[in-house]
Amino acid sequence: MKALEGVRILDMTHVQSGPTCTQLLAWFGADVLKVERPGVGDATRGQLRDIPDVDSLYFTMLNHNKRSITLNTKSDKGKEIFEGLLKACDVMVENFAPGALDRMGFSWERIQEINPRLIYASIKGFGPGPYEDCKVYENVAQCTGGSASTTGFVDGPPLVTGAQIGDSGTGLHLALGIVTALYHREKSGKGQRVHAAMQDGVLNLCRVKLRDQQRLQHGPLTEYSQHGQGIAFGEATPRAGNDSGGGQPGWILKCKGWENDPDAYVYFITQAAVWGNVCDVIGKPEWKEDPEYATPPARLDKIKQIFDTIEEWTMTKNKFEVMEICNPLNIPCGPILSMKEIAEEPSLRETGTVVEVDHPARGKYLSVGNPVKLSDSPSDVTRSPLLGEHTDEILMEILGFSSDEIAEAKTEGAVGDEMAQSKVAAE
Ligand code: CAO
C-alpha cells in the first residue's frame, strides 16, 4: 500500500506550481482528480508543443499519475457536480489568480459548509499585502523573493535561474503543508486552509542571502570573492557569481575542452579540512606551510588568485577526470552536467529519477520521476491523462452517476465530451 493511498485530491491546479504539488501527492499514492475546463484544459497542454495536436511535454511532465475530468464550474450543473466532488475529496488544491474560486461561488466559508473535513490548499504569487491581487509567474517570484537580486555576477544585471524555485519550489512547500494538515486532521477531525505564496517559497530557499544581508551590518562579507578583489559592498546582499553560499570557498572552473564544450566545467570547493590535499593535487605543496595560504583567514583575500591557480590544473583534465582524482582525496567537487548528460545517465534511470514514459499520442518520452524515495511506497510513474479521459469514470465511480445522467450533464455543457469527440475525429 502506498503512503497516501485512500487520500482523494480535487486538483484544480494549472500551469506549473500547483501541478507539481499534486503530481508529488499522486506519486505517493493519492487519487488525484484533475479538473479542467471542457474543451480547453490546462493551458500548458497546448504550450511549447513539439508535436502538433499532442499534449506538450510541459503538460505531460507535470501531470503524471492523475485522472482528468472536464467540468464547467461556472455552470449551475457544473457547480452541483463540483460540490459533490468537494464532499467526496480530502483535499482541494488550486492555484488560480487571486479571487477566482470566490468568484465561482466557492469561498473558504462555503467550502467548510460543504465539507468541514476538506483541506483547501492554494498557491498564490504573494501573501496578504500590497501585491496580494497580482497574477504571478515563475520569474516574477524569483525577482520578488530575493533570488534574482542575488544571482549573477557582481558587475552584471540580476539573473533568473533555470531551477523553477518559484513554481516547483512552491509546489513542494504546498505539498508539505497539505500532508501536515492531513496529519493534523487525524487529531482535530477538521480540515484547514493551507496557503503557500511563491514570494515566500523563493525567500525560504534564499534564506542564506537574508543571513548575509544582516551580516553586512557588521562588516564586509569576507568569503565573497569581491572582497578579495577589493570591490566595496553596497547596502544590500550582492550578486555572488559562483561563490559558494557557505563558509567553504568554491567556484566554477574550466576543464579540458571548455573552448568548444559549454559544459566543460567543474565546481571546485577548497574545503579547509582538505586544503593540504588541494595543494598537493594542483602541484602547490608549498602552500600548505606558507602562512599566506595555510589558514582559511589568510586565504580570504586571495580566493580569486587561488581559484585561477586551481583552474590551471583543472584545464589539463576533463570534468570527470577531475572528479575521479578529487573524490578519493575527499575534495568536494562536481562536474557541470548538461541536460543531455543527465538524460543519458544510467544511474539516474536505475533509481527512477529519470524515467521513460509511454504516451498514446506522443510515444515514449523522458520525465523526472519522484525525487523523494520512500522504502514502502515506491513511485511508479504513469502517463498524464488525456483531456477529459476520466470524466465518465469519475462521475460514475465517485458520484454514482448513471449513463443517462452523464449524457444529460454533457448535453447541458456542464462536463465535456472530449473522448467521444476525439474518437469521432480519429475515424
Ligand atoms: N470551469 C470554468 N471556469 C474555469 C475553470 C473551469 N473548470 N477553470 C478555470 N476557470 C476560470 C477561472 O475561474 C478564471 O475565471 P475568472 O477570471 O472569471 O475568475 C479563469 O478561468 C482564468 O483563471 P486564471 O485567472 O487563474 O488564469 P490565467 O491564465 O489568467 O492566469 C496565472 C494564470 C498562473 C497567472 C494565475 O492563475 C495566477 O496568478 N495563479 C497564482 C500564482 C501561480 O500559481 N502562478 C504560477 C503559474 S506557473 O508559472
Side-chain angles (χ1 to χ4, degrees), residues 14-15 17 37 71 73-74 95 97 103-104 135-136 167:
H14 65 157
V15 202
S17 62
R37 247 188 303 178
L71 180 64
T73 50
K74 284 183 174 165
N95 67 308
R103 287 195 288 279
M104 272 179 210
K135 288 186 176 183
V136 167
D167 280 338

Side-chain angles (χ1 to χ4, degrees), residues 119 177-190 192:
I119 288 150
I178 290 170
V179 175
T180 306
L182 279 169
Y183 182 73
H184 185 250
R185 193 181 72 173
E186 292 298 302
K187 291 176 271 177
S188 70
K190 273 172 48 191
Q192 60 183 306

Side-chain angles (χ1 to χ4, degrees), residues 233-247:
F233 286 87
E235 288 186 346
T237 308
R239 296 187 254 296
N242 288 317
D243 283 328
S244 90

Side-chain angles (χ1 to χ4, degrees), residues 277-316:
N277 291 349
V278 173
C279 297
D280 286 337
V281 88
I282 65 168
K284 283 281 180 191
E286 64 274 20
W287 279 0
K288 287 192 279 187
E289 306 302 330
D290 185 339
E292 284 293 307
Y293 293 91
T295 64
R299 294 194 287 273
L300 278 178
D301 61 354
K302 302 177 202 67
I303 287 177
K304 168 117 180 39
Q305 179 232 325
I306 289 169
F307 280 118
D308 285 348
T309 310
I310 299 172
E311 191 169 60
E312 284 171 27
W313 175 75
T314 57
M315 281 165 70
T316 66

Side-chain angles (χ1 to χ4, degrees), residues 20 82 127 354:
T20 4
F82 188 60
V354 175

Side-chain angles (χ1 to χ4, degrees), residues 96-100 103 124-136 195:
F96 290 129
R103 287 195 288 279
K124 298 288 168 247
F126 295 95
Y131 305 123
E132 66 187 306
D133 293 330
C134 298
K135 288 186 176 183
V136 167
H195 189 277

Side-chain angles (χ1 to χ4, degrees), residues 150 208-209 211-212 215 221-226 237-252 267-271 300 303 307 332:
T150 54
V208 297
K209 302 296 179 180
R211 171 202 69 192
D212 292 350
R215 288 172 61 225
L221 305 170
T222 53
E223 80 284 8
Y224 279 52
S225 46
Q226 79 171 69
T237 308
R239 296 187 254 296
N242 288 317
D243 283 328
S244 90
Q248 307 290 345
W251 198 259
I252 288 184
Y267 198 90
F268 198 103
I269 298 173
T270 55
Q271 191 197 7
L300 278 178
I303 287 177
F307 280 118

Side-chain angles (χ1 to χ4, degrees), residues 349-414:
R349 299 288 184 96
E350 271 159 36
T351 58
T353 296
V354 175
V355 286
E356 192 176 70
V357 187
D358 206 356
H359 185 275
R362 82 165 26 254
K364 290 195 164 64
Y365 66 96
L366 288 185
S367 194
V368 184
N370 192 346
V372 185
K373 322 289 187 210
L374 266 60
S375 63
D376 283 346
S377 185
S379 295
D380 314 310
V381 180
T382 58
R383 70 167 173 85
S384 59
L386 302 173
L387 182 63
E389 184 173 346
H390 306 98
T391 301
D392 294 16
E393 179 183 299
I394 290 170
L395 291 175
M396 272 188 227
E397 178 196 311
I398 298 176
L399 299 181
F401 271 42
S402 66
S403 309
D404 287 347
E405 284 169 319
I406 293 174
E408 199 183 313
K410 285 181 180 172
T411 312
E412 285 180 34

